[in-house]
């Protein structure tokens, strides 16, 4: 069978131009990035400016107290580089302490779930080393929106409405910021955050203590701001505030364990990308402290198969893709973490051949990590339900039949994403997340809360993803860079927790195998598996679970059900948050494309 033809209709065009392209999950961030490019900044200046705007305008999806993974390539670089902005567990975050608090899971909300916030230090590091602008100019956009206000997006308004009771009863500082009249604000209301504007002003003021006007002085100014972030008001106010017992997602009151020393010790950094060839492209991802290599493994499982088995719009293809992902994500949960993970073995041809042979004509209901010589994969607790209160948890994506944030605050997977390419060929794909307004109580002196990434660690010892002081949680953040003949072809990424790479996979297959344009691939109907232990509290799974958009068609959906998949229909336009920018090597034309779902993501360029 042939690959399903690309639809002639798209919700918007694939933008083309020669100057620069930006795409993100919020139009104000996209416009900010493009404004920086128009004023002579490069892709790194633009990405950092847009990222700080995302802290302000998508506070339910990311925040300065969160984390970041990015992958980028400079125009003259030989290979892509990963920007590591994932902070580790604090020094006092031990399995013994959490167990002594009566916990069997790291909570999904509250200060005990806070890793050291890494996003701000990572963005400032990227600006220092690869940008050209001064910090004061880069932060001006975010400071303006925080101080003068911005229209609250519908998703943020809905999130605040769903956690209103939690805020009123248990997190009064969050109520004071997000419900200033003690009622949830309506979508479109102008929201201000003067406390966060003051924090950013403080970084600018710290940078101004360095008077050297040259490039050495510029770097020193940014480093001064980094020191202020890690040793100043943020570190001390956050630690002191969260040390007071407060409500967590288990229903109990606990004190956080993070200290100013934890903030001071963190350093964002750079790492080499992990790559794999697929159908004439090189796919570049971050390492096994993210879920990124699971995408590479999925592509390796699929690569030798017939094209129709790589087509999500055909029954056999949708089934094969779901089954391949189950195997790859079982290996993610069995092997990945902030440790010495043998990716060479997990991505080897022989290993993939053996794993591919497990794909049957019917849906597997098993958790099946692979075996490596002399080692045994971790088997996490497999729960289909978890009986506990749910307060302010997770990363905002849930099963589509449910609201993204429940009335008690549980959230499971959207975040933010941005992509930028400039006229010189610099390209960035970044997924900032964490520190959602519903993560933990707002720190009143700062105007934001800390994130909850430690919920991705286990309280069972001895695994690369077990909770341990100084160890990074295995994050879901997973941007992608695609290269052709050694040069960047496009940057792509998506919010979505455990679905981030699942939704990217569909776009990659449709672009690379099906020949779709980027916007056609992003618009096309999506699906994903839930037959994996969720990365977010309460860490349940649905054996053989599959979530599908109705536009895949009744016949395909019925076929998946006949094969044993437990299918949930999501609606016509519910799954996927993918955006991308790139460059056509043959013509030099730049392009950009963005997700229409949720009516919030946009691309811009010329």
């Amino acid at each position: 069978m042939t690959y399903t033809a690309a639809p002639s209709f798209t919700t918007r065009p694939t933008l083309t131009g020669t100057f620069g392209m930006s795409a993100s999950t919020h139009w104000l961030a996209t416009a900010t990035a493009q404004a920086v490019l128009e004023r002579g900044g490069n892709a790194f200046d633009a990405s950092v400016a847009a990222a700080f705007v995302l802290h302000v305008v998508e506070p339910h999806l990311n925040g300065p107290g969160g984390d970041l993974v990015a992958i980028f390539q400079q125009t003259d670089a030989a290979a892509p580089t990963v920007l590591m902005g994932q902070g580790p567990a604090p020094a006092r975050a031990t399995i013994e302490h959490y167990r002594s608090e009566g916990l069997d899971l790291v909570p999904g909300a509250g200060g005990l779930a806070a890793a050291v916030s890494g996003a701000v230090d990572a963005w400032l590091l990227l600006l220092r080393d690869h940008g050209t602008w001064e910090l004061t100019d880069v932060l001006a956009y975010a400071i303006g929106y925080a101080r003068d206000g911005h229209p609250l997006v519908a998703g943020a308004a809905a999130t605040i409405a769903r956690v209103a009771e939690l805020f009123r009863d248990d997190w009064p500082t969050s109520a004071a910021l997000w419900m200033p009249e003690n009622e949830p604000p309506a979508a479109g209301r102008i929201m201000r955050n003067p406390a966060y504007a003051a924090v950013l002003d403080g970084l600018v003021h710290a940078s101004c203590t360095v008077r050297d006007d040259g490039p050495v002085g510029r770097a020193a100014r940014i480093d001064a701001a980094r020191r202020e972030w890690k040793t100043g008001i943020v570190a001390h106010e956050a630690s002191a505030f969260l040390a007071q017992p407060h409500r967590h997602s288990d229903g109990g009151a606990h004190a956080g364990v993070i200290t100013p020393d934890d903030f001071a010790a963190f350093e964002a950094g750079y790492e080499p990308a992990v790559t794999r060839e697929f159908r004439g492209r090189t796919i570049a991802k971050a390492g096994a402290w993210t879920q990124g290599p699971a995408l590479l493994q999925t592509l390796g499982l699929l690569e030798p198969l017939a094209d129709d088995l790589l087509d999500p719009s055909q029954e056999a293809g949708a089934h094969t893709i779901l089954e391949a992902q189950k195997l790859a994500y079982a290996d993610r949960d069995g092997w990945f973490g902030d440790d010495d993970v043998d990716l060479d073995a997990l991505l080897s041809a022989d290993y993939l051949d053996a794993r591919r042979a497990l794909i049957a004509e019917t849906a597997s209901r098993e958790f099946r990590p692979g075996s490596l010589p002399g080692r045994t994969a971790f088997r996490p607790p497999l729960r289909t339900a978890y009986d506990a209160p749910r307060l302010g948890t997770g990363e905002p994506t849930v099963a589509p039949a449910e609201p993204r944030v429940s009335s008690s605050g549980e959230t499971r997977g959207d975040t933010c994403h941005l992509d930028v390419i400039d006229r010189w060929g610099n390209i960035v794909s970044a997924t900032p997340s964490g520190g959602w307004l519903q993560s933990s109580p707002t720190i009143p002196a700062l105007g934001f809360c800390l994130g909850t990434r430690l919920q991705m660690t286990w309280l069972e010892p001895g695994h690369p993803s077990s909770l341990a002081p100084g160890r990074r949680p295995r994050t879901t953040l997973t941007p992608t860079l695609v290269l052709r003949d050694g040069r960047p072809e496009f940057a792509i990424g998506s919010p979505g927790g455990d679905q981030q790479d699942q939704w990217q996979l569909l776009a990659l297959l449709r672009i690379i195998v099906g020949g779709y344009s980027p916007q056609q691939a992003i618009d096309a109907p999506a699906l994903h598996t839930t037959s994996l232990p969720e990365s977010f509290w309460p860490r349940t799974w649905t054996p053989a679970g599959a979530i599908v958009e109705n536009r895949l068609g009744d016949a395909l959906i019925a076929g998946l059900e006949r094969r044993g998949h437990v299918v949930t229909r999501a609606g016509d336009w519910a799954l996927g948050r993918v955006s991308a920018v790139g460059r056509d090597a043959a013509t030099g034309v730049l392009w950009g494309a963005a997700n229409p779902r949720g009516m919030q993501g946009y691309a811009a360029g010329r």
Side-chain angles (χ1 to χ4, degrees):
M1 295 180 66
T2 60
Y3 210 92
T4 300
S8 57
F9 170 79
T10 57
T11 58
R12 58 193 72 177
T14 298
L15 305 181
T16 55
T18 57
F19 177 80
M21 289 284 161
S22 308
S24 83
T25 49
H26 194 293
W27 62 86
L28 290 179
T30 298
T32 296
Q34 199 63 23
V36 172
L37 295 182
E38 295 287 352
R39 291 176 55 192
N42 65 17
F44 305 107
D45 301 312
S47 296
V48 177
F52 279 93
V53 167
L54 285 173
H55 290 165
V56 179
V57 301
E58 289 194 315
H60 59 311
L61 303 180
N62 83 140
D67 30 52
L68 154 72
V69 181
I71 188 165
F72 66 89
Q73 189 160 342
Q74 290 176 280
T75 185
D76 57 352
T81 298
V82 172
L83 175 65
M84 192 288 293
Q86 177 57 65
R92 292 170 51 210
T94 65
I95 289 175
E96 294 75 19
H97 176 72
Y98 285 57
R99 291 285 188 182
S100 74
E101 294 279 315
L103 301 168
D104 60 356
L105 290 172
V106 177
L112 275 179
V116 180
S117 55
V120 168
D121 191 55
W123 284 124
L124 296 183
L125 178 69
L126 185 70
L127 181 67
R128 184 195 74 182
D129 293 344
H130 301 290
T132 64
W133 277 26
E134 290 287 348
L135 182 65
T136 183
D137 297 319
V138 168
L139 294 185
Y141 299 90
I143 291 172
Y145 284 124
R147 177 168 293 132
D148 301 330
H150 61 93
L152 189 70
V153 293
T159 297
I160 296 167
R162 292 190 185 110
V163 295
E165 184 177 351
L166 170 67
F167 282 8
R168 289 191 192 101
D169 294 347
D170 297 295
W171 295 356
T173 57
S174 297
L177 176 61
W178 300 111
M179 300 162 52
E181 298 168 1
N182 206 35
E183 292 295 333
R189 173 175 173 161
I190 298 299
M191 295 294 288
R192 297 176 176 85
N193 191 339
Y196 183 46
V199 169
L200 295 181
D201 271 337
L203 300 184
V204 171
H205 293 157
S207 74
C208 291
T209 60
V210 178
R211 298 299 184 186
D212 184 338
D213 290 334
V216 173
R218 176 184 171 277
R221 279 187 286 279
I222 295 172
D223 278 340
R226 294 175 68 200
R227 284 192 300 274
E228 171 62 26
W229 174 265
K230 292 187 283 189
T231 63
I233 184 175
V234 170
H236 291 276
E237 288 287 344
S239 300
F241 182 76
L242 291 176
Q244 304 302 311
H246 54 280
R247 192 73 175 268
H248 283 59
S249 58
D250 68 316
H254 309 280
V257 295
I258 199 165
T259 69
D261 288 344
D262 295 314
F263 283 88
F266 176 71
E267 289 281 337
Y270 304 114
E271 299 182 2
V274 180
T275 62
R276 192 188 191 284
E277 302 304 305
F278 176 78
R279 299 283 183 103
R281 265 72 164 197
T282 302
I283 314 299
K285 302 292 289 185
W289 55 275
T290 75
Q291 64 177 337
L295 175 63
L296 303 181
Q297 192 182 77
T298 306
L299 291 168
L301 292 169
L302 296 174
E303 183 168 21
L305 302 180
D307 286 1
D308 63 299
L309 296 180
L310 279 64
D311 184 353
S313 295
Q314 298 187 44
E315 177 192 323
H319 167 76
T320 302
I321 290 166
L322 290 170
E323 294 303 296
Q325 289 178 324
K326 292 179 193 177
L327 295 170
Y329 285 103
D331 277 346
R332 178 197 74 173
D333 292 308
W335 296 107
F336 288 15
D338 188 13
D339 206 344
D340 184 17
V341 180
D342 193 348
L343 287 178
D344 289 340
L346 293 172
L347 296 173
S348 68
D350 289 346
Y351 183 84
L352 292 174
D353 288 345
R355 299 288 279 160
R356 191 182 303 109
L358 297 175
I359 299 175
E361 292 298 313
T362 55
S364 170
R365 298 181 61 87
E366 300 176 45
F367 176 76
R368 298 183 292 176
S371 298
L372 296 177
R375 285 166 285 178
T376 302
F378 174 66
R379 294 189 66 86
L382 297 175
R383 303 178 176 95
T384 56
Y386 187 75
D387 185 17
R390 298 183 174 189
L391 301 170
T393 64
E395 176 176 330
T397 295
V398 299
E402 308 168 17
R404 292 186 189 167
V405 181
S406 72
S407 60
S408 56
E410 184 184 354
T411 51
R412 297 186 190 170
D414 259 335
T415 177
C416 302
H417 185 77
L418 64 91
D419 306 288
V420 183
I421 187 170
D422 64 29
R423 54 185 153 160
W424 301 287
N426 300 303
I427 190 168
V428 179
S429 177
T431 309
S433 187
W436 316 293
L437 64 85
Q438 65 274 20
S439 294
S440 59
T442 296
I443 303 152
L446 306 181
F448 60 85
C449 61
L450 296 192
T452 54
R453 192 63 62 179
L454 289 188
Q455 67 184 290
M456 296 185 173
T457 64
W458 294 102
L459 297 183
E460 287 73 22
H463 175 59
S465 283
S466 301
L467 177 67
R471 175 183 280 171
R472 293 172 294 183
R474 193 274 303 149
T475 182
T476 50
L477 307 180
T478 180
T480 304
L481 203 60
V482 178
L483 296 85
R484 194 170 194 174
D485 299 325
R487 302 303 306 158
E489 183 179 22
F490 59 95
I492 189 170
S494 175
D498 291 314
Q499 289 79 56
Q500 288 183 23
D501 272 336
Q502 297 196 60
W503 294 336
Q504 289 181 69
L505 173 69
L506 305 181
L508 291 170
L509 293 175
R510 284 167 165 146
I511 292 170
I512 297 172
V513 182
Y516 287 34
S517 73
Q519 193 63 50
Q520 288 172 331
I522 289 170
D523 281 358
L527 78 166
H528 64 263
T529 181
T530 53
S531 189
L532 48 81
E534 289 179 312
S535 296
F536 299 94
W537 190 93
R539 312 211 70 174
T540 55
W541 79 316
T542 305
I547 311 295
V548 302
E549 284 188 324
N550 297 5
R551 291 182 296 129
L552 285 167
D554 291 342
L556 185 153
I557 294 169
L560 291 178
E561 291 173 332
R562 284 194 301 270
R563 291 173 182 260
H565 296 277
V566 180
V567 176
T568 300
R569 292 175 178 246
D572 288 342
W573 295 88
L575 308 179
R577 303 288 185 272
V578 176
S579 64
V581 300
R583 180 179 182 272
D584 186 314
T587 64
V589 170
L590 308 179
W591 57 261
N595 162 61
R597 299 165 181 87
M599 298 184 292
Q600 201 170 299
Y602 282 89
R606 68 172 179 87

